[in-house]
Amino acid sequence: MVIPGWLLRHTVTIEAYLGDSAYGPQYAAPVAARAFVEEKIRTVRNQAGEEVTASTTVYLLPSQDCPPESRLTTPSGRVASVITSALHDGGGLPTPDHREVTLT
């Protein structure tokens, strides 16, 4: 079961992180995605295992790609960097499968 579409009330723009080059970080072309945006400050661990403060959590469809270090623009126009991106998949159980993304 996938997260119900009626919960995805917002639209965000995702520029997926592709890697670093001699000129700095490289990103894919911007993609609009349906989402639920929760502006709530909390502490999370980044890829290096360090505790950092996340200001926003975004819930996306499970098929939406949004790797850490990607750029994401919220409905308010704020551009933030992705700290974590986690897939929540119930493996066929009746749970709302989704991708949870935390932002700086």
Side-chain angles (χ1 to χ4, degrees):
M1 177 178 150
V2 176
I3 189 169
W6 57 268
L7 283 176
L8 304 176
R9 307 291 294 186
H10 306 107
T11 300
V12 297
T13 303
I14 301 168
E15 297 171 77
Y17 177 72
L18 299 175
D20 287 325
S21 73
Y23 303 103
Q26 298 295 305
Y27 300 95
V31 174
R34 294 176 55 200
F36 179 79
V37 178
E38 178 183 39
E39 299 211 14
K40 176 182 174 184
I41 296 174
R42 65 184 182 142
T43 303
V44 297
R45 292 196 181 271
N46 63 15
Q47 288 181 303
E50 304 164 331
E51 286 189 353
V52 295
T53 302
S55 62
T56 305
T57 302
V58 178
Y59 301 93
L60 303 162
L61 290 170
S63 59
Q64 183 65 56
D65 185 36
C66 190
E69 299 186 47
S70 296
R71 285 193 299 216
L72 192 143
T73 305
T74 64
S76 66
R78 186 172 74 87
V79 178
S81 179
V82 173
I83 301 170
T84 64
S85 179
L87 177 62
H88 297 278
D89 184 346
L93 294 173
T95 62
D97 299 342
H98 62 282
R99 180 169 301 279
E100 178 182 338
V101 176
T102 57
L103 308 176
T104 58

